[in-house]
Coordinates of all heavy atoms in Angstrom, one line a residue:
Q116 N 152.9 33.9 0.0 CA 153.1 34.4 1.3 C 153.8 35.7 1.3 O 154.5 36.1 0.4 CB 153.8 33.4 2.2 CG 153.1 32.1 2.4 CD 153.8 31.2 3.4 OE1 155.1 31.3 3.5 NE2 153.1 30.4 4.2
A117 N 153.6 36.5 2.3 CA 154.3 37.8 2.4 C 155.8 37.5 2.4 O 156.3 36.6 3.0 CB 153.9 38.5 3.7
G118 N 156.5 38.3 1.6 CA 157.9 38.2 1.4 C 158.2 37.3 0.2 O 159.4 37.2 -0.2
G119 N 157.2 36.6 -0.4 CA 157.4 35.8 -1.5 C 157.4 36.5 -2.8 O 157.4 37.7 -2.9
S120 N 157.3 35.7 -3.9 CA 157.4 36.2 -5.2 C 156.4 35.6 -6.1 O 156.0 34.4 -5.9 CB 158.8 36.0 -5.8 OG 159.8 36.6 -5.1
L121 N 155.9 36.3 -7.1 CA 155.1 35.8 -8.2 C 155.5 36.5 -9.5 O 156.0 37.6 -9.4 CB 153.6 36.1 -7.9 CG 152.9 35.2 -6.9 CD1 151.5 35.7 -6.7 CD2 152.8 33.8 -7.4
R122 N 155.2 35.8 -10.6 CA 155.6 36.4 -11.9 C 154.3 36.4 -12.8 O 153.8 35.3 -13.0 CB 156.7 35.7 -12.6 CG 157.2 36.4 -13.8 CD 158.2 35.5 -14.6 NE 158.9 36.2 -15.6 CZ 159.4 35.6 -16.7 NH1 159.2 34.3 -16.9 NH2 160.1 36.3 -17.6
L123 N 153.9 37.5 -13.2 CA 152.7 37.6 -14.1 C 153.2 37.8 -15.5 O 154.3 38.4 -15.7 CB 151.9 38.8 -13.7 CG 151.4 38.9 -12.3 CD1 150.4 40.2 -12.1 CD2 150.6 37.7 -11.9
S124 N 152.4 37.3 -16.4 CA 152.7 37.5 -17.8 C 151.4 38.0 -18.5 O 150.3 37.7 -18.1 CB 153.3 36.3 -18.5 OG 152.3 35.2 -18.5
C125 N 151.6 38.7 -19.6 CA 150.5 39.1 -20.4 C 150.9 39.0 -21.9 O 152.0 39.6 -22.3 CB 150.2 40.6 -20.1 SG 149.0 41.3 -21.2
A126 N 150.1 38.4 -22.6 CA 150.4 38.2 -24.1 C 149.2 38.7 -24.9 O 148.0 38.6 -24.5 CB 150.7 36.8 -24.4
D127 N 149.5 39.2 -26.1 CA 148.4 39.5 -27.0 C 148.2 38.3 -27.8 O 148.9 38.0 -28.8 CB 148.9 40.7 -27.9 CG 148.0 40.9 -29.1 OD1 146.8 40.5 -29.0 OD2 148.4 41.5 -30.1
S128 N 147.1 37.6 -27.5 CA 146.9 36.3 -28.1 C 146.5 36.5 -29.6 O 146.6 35.6 -30.4 CB 145.8 35.5 -27.4 OG 144.6 36.3 -27.3
G129 N 146.0 37.7 -29.9 CA 145.6 38.0 -31.3 C 146.8 38.3 -32.1 O 146.7 38.4 -33.3
R130 N 147.9 38.7 -31.5 CA 149.1 39.0 -32.1 C 148.9 40.1 -33.2 O 149.5 40.1 -34.2 CB 149.8 37.8 -32.7 CG 150.2 36.7 -31.7 CD 151.1 35.7 -32.3 NE 152.4 36.2 -32.8 CZ 153.4 36.5 -32.0 NH1 153.4 36.2 -30.7 NH2 154.6 36.9 -32.5
T131 N 148.1 41.0 -32.8 CA 147.9 42.2 -33.7 C 148.3 43.5 -33.1 O 148.2 44.5 -33.8 CB 146.4 42.3 -34.1 OG1 145.6 42.4 -32.9 CG2 145.9 41.0 -34.8
F132 N 148.7 43.5 -31.8 CA 149.1 44.7 -31.2 C 150.3 45.3 -31.9 O 151.4 44.6 -32.0 CB 149.4 44.5 -29.7 CG 149.8 45.7 -29.0 CD1 148.9 46.8 -28.9 CD2 151.0 45.9 -28.4 CE1 149.2 47.9 -28.2 CE2 151.4 47.0 -27.8 CZ 150.5 48.0 -27.6
N133 N 150.2 46.5 -32.3 CA 151.3 47.2 -32.9 C 151.5 48.5 -32.3 O 151.7 49.5 -33.0 CB 151.1 47.3 -34.4 CG 152.3 47.8 -35.2 OD1 153.4 47.5 -34.8 ND2 152.1 48.5 -36.3
G134 N 151.4 48.6 -31.0 CA 151.4 49.8 -30.3 C 152.7 50.1 -29.7 O 153.7 49.7 -30.1
N135 N 152.6 50.9 -28.6 CA 153.8 51.5 -28.1 C 154.0 51.3 -26.6 O 155.2 51.3 -26.2 CB 153.6 53.0 -28.3 CG 155.0 53.7 -28.3 OD1 155.5 54.0 -27.2 ND2 155.5 54.0 -29.4
V136 N 153.0 51.0 -25.8 CA 153.1 50.9 -24.4 C 152.3 49.8 -23.9 O 151.2 49.6 -24.3 CB 152.7 52.2 -23.7 CG1 152.9 52.1 -22.2 CG2 153.4 53.4 -24.2
M137 N 152.9 49.0 -23.0 CA 152.1 48.0 -22.2 C 152.3 48.2 -20.7 O 153.4 48.7 -20.3 CB 152.4 46.6 -22.7 CG 152.0 46.3 -24.1 SD 152.2 44.6 -24.6 CE 150.9 43.8 -23.7
G138 N 151.3 47.8 -20.0 CA 151.5 48.1 -18.5 C 150.6 47.2 -17.7 O 149.8 46.4 -18.2
W139 N 150.7 47.4 -16.4 CA 149.9 46.7 -15.4 C 149.2 47.7 -14.5 O 149.8 48.7 -14.0 CB 150.8 45.8 -14.6 CG 151.5 44.7 -15.3 CD1 152.7 44.7 -15.9 CD2 150.9 43.4 -15.6 NE1 152.9 43.5 -16.5 CE2 151.8 42.7 -16.4 CE3 149.7 42.8 -15.3 CZ2 151.6 41.3 -16.8 CZ3 149.4 41.5 -15.7 CH2 150.4 40.8 -16.4
F140 N 148.0 47.3 -14.2 CA 147.2 48.0 -13.2 C 146.7 47.0 -12.2 O 146.7 45.8 -12.5 CB 146.0 48.8 -13.8 CG 146.4 50.0 -14.5 CD1 147.1 50.0 -15.7 CD2 146.0 51.3 -14.0 CE1 147.4 51.1 -16.4 CE2 146.4 52.4 -14.7 CZ 147.1 52.4 -15.9
R141 N 146.2 47.4 -11.1 CA 145.6 46.5 -10.1 C 144.4 47.1 -9.4 O 144.3 48.4 -9.3 CB 146.6 46.0 -9.1 CG 147.1 47.1 -8.1 CD 148.2 46.5 -7.3 NE 148.7 47.5 -6.3 CZ 149.8 47.3 -5.5 NH1 150.4 46.2 -5.5 NH2 150.1 48.2 -4.7
Q142 N 143.5 46.3 -8.9 CA 142.3 46.8 -8.2 C 142.1 45.8 -7.0 O 141.8 44.7 -7.2 CB 141.1 46.8 -9.1 CG 139.9 47.5 -8.4 CD 138.8 47.8 -9.4 OE1 138.8 47.3 -10.5 NE2 138.0 48.8 -9.0
A143 N 142.2 46.4 -5.9 CA 141.9 45.7 -4.6 C 140.4 45.8 -4.3 O 139.7 46.8 -4.8 CB 142.7 46.2 -3.5
P144 N 139.9 44.9 -3.5 CA 138.4 45.0 -3.2 C 138.1 46.4 -2.6 O 138.8 46.9 -1.7 CB 138.3 43.9 -2.1 CG 139.3 42.9 -2.4 CD 140.5 43.7 -2.9
E145 N 137.0 46.9 -3.1 CA 136.5 48.2 -2.6 C 137.4 49.4 -2.8 O 137.3 50.4 -2.2 CB 136.1 48.1 -1.2 CG 135.0 47.0 -0.9 CD 134.6 47.0 0.5 OE1 135.1 47.7 1.3 OE2 133.6 46.2 0.8
K146 N 138.4 49.2 -3.7 CA 139.3 50.3 -4.1 C 139.3 50.6 -5.6 O 138.9 49.7 -6.3 CB 140.7 50.0 -3.6 CG 140.9 50.0 -2.1 CD 142.3 49.8 -1.7 CE 142.5 49.9 -0.2 NZ 143.9 49.8 0.2
E147 N 139.7 51.8 -5.9 CA 139.8 52.1 -7.3 C 141.0 51.4 -8.0 O 142.0 51.1 -7.3 CB 139.9 53.6 -7.5 CG 138.7 54.3 -7.1 CD 138.8 55.8 -7.4 OE1 139.8 56.3 -7.9 OE2 137.7 56.5 -7.2
R148 N 140.9 51.2 -9.3 CA 142.0 50.6 -10.0 C 143.2 51.6 -10.0 O 143.0 52.8 -10.1 CB 141.6 50.3 -11.4 CG 142.7 49.6 -12.2 CD 142.1 49.0 -13.5 NE 141.5 50.0 -14.4 CZ 140.7 49.7 -15.4 NH1 140.5 48.4 -15.7 NH2 140.2 50.7 -16.2
E149 N 144.4 51.0 -9.8 CA 145.6 51.9 -9.7 C 146.7 51.4 -10.5 O 146.8 50.2 -10.8 CB 146.1 52.0 -8.2 CG 146.6 50.6 -7.6 CD 147.2 50.8 -6.2 OE1 147.1 51.9 -5.7 OE2 147.7 49.8 -5.7
F150 N 147.5 52.3 -11.0 CA 148.7 52.0 -11.8 C 149.7 51.2 -11.0 O 150.0 51.5 -9.9 CB 149.2 53.3 -12.4 CG 150.6 53.2 -13.1 CD1 150.6 52.6 -14.3 CD2 151.7 53.6 -12.5 CE1 151.8 52.5 -15.0 CE2 152.9 53.5 -13.1 CZ 153.0 52.9 -14.4
V151 N 150.4 50.3 -11.7 CA 151.5 49.5 -11.1 C 152.8 49.8 -11.9 O 153.8 50.2 -11.3 CB 151.2 48.0 -11.1 CG1 152.4 47.2 -10.6 CG2 149.9 47.7 -10.3
A152 N 152.8 49.5 -13.2 CA 154.0 49.7 -13.9 C 153.7 49.7 -15.4 O 152.6 49.2 -15.8 CB 155.0 48.5 -13.6
A153 N 154.6 50.3 -16.2 CA 154.4 50.3 -17.6 C 155.8 50.3 -18.3 O 156.8 50.6 -17.7 CB 153.6 51.6 -18.1
I154 N 155.8 49.9 -19.6 CA 157.0 49.8 -20.3 C 156.8 50.2 -21.7 O 155.8 49.9 -22.4 CB 157.6 48.4 -20.2 CG1 159.1 48.4 -20.7 CG2 156.8 47.4 -20.9 CD1 159.8 47.1 -20.4
R155 N 157.8 51.0 -22.3 CA 157.7 51.4 -23.7 C 158.2 50.2 -24.5 O 159.1 49.5 -24.2 CB 158.6 52.6 -23.9 CG 158.1 53.9 -23.3 CD 157.0 54.5 -24.2 NE 157.5 54.8 -25.5 CZ 158.0 56.0 -25.9 NH1 158.2 56.9 -25.0 NH2 158.4 56.2 -27.1
W156 N 157.6 50.1 -25.7 CA 157.9 48.9 -26.5 C 159.2 49.0 -27.2 O 159.9 48.1 -27.4 CB 156.8 48.7 -27.5 CG 156.6 47.3 -27.9 CD1 156.7 46.7 -29.1 CD2 156.2 46.2 -27.0 NE1 156.5 45.4 -29.1 CE2 156.2 45.0 -27.8 CE3 156.0 46.1 -25.6 CZ2 155.9 43.8 -27.3 CZ3 155.7 44.9 -25.1 CH2 155.6 43.7 -25.9

């Protein structure tokens, strides 16, 4: 509901990621994908 909270998680199930940055994007209906947040490893 509006005003509420959710927590998303993302894991590399292959456990092979050895990179530098992970982040979140989102895409609403009929809109382009947009950046949400990112974090340096």
Side-chain angles (χ1 to χ4, degrees):
Q116 290 188 331
S120 299
L121 283 173
R122 189 190 194 207
L123 305 183
S124 65
C125 171
D127 169 24
S128 60
R130 297 191 64 82
T131 58
F132 179 65
N133 190 29
N135 201 280
V136 181
M137 291 185 74
W139 293 94
F140 285 72
R141 67 185 182 186
Q142 186 167 21
E145 300 182 356
K146 291 188 177 181
E147 294 187 355
R148 186 164 58 188
E149 65 175 3
F150 171 73
V151 175
I154 190 165
R155 289 280 300 273
W156 210 241

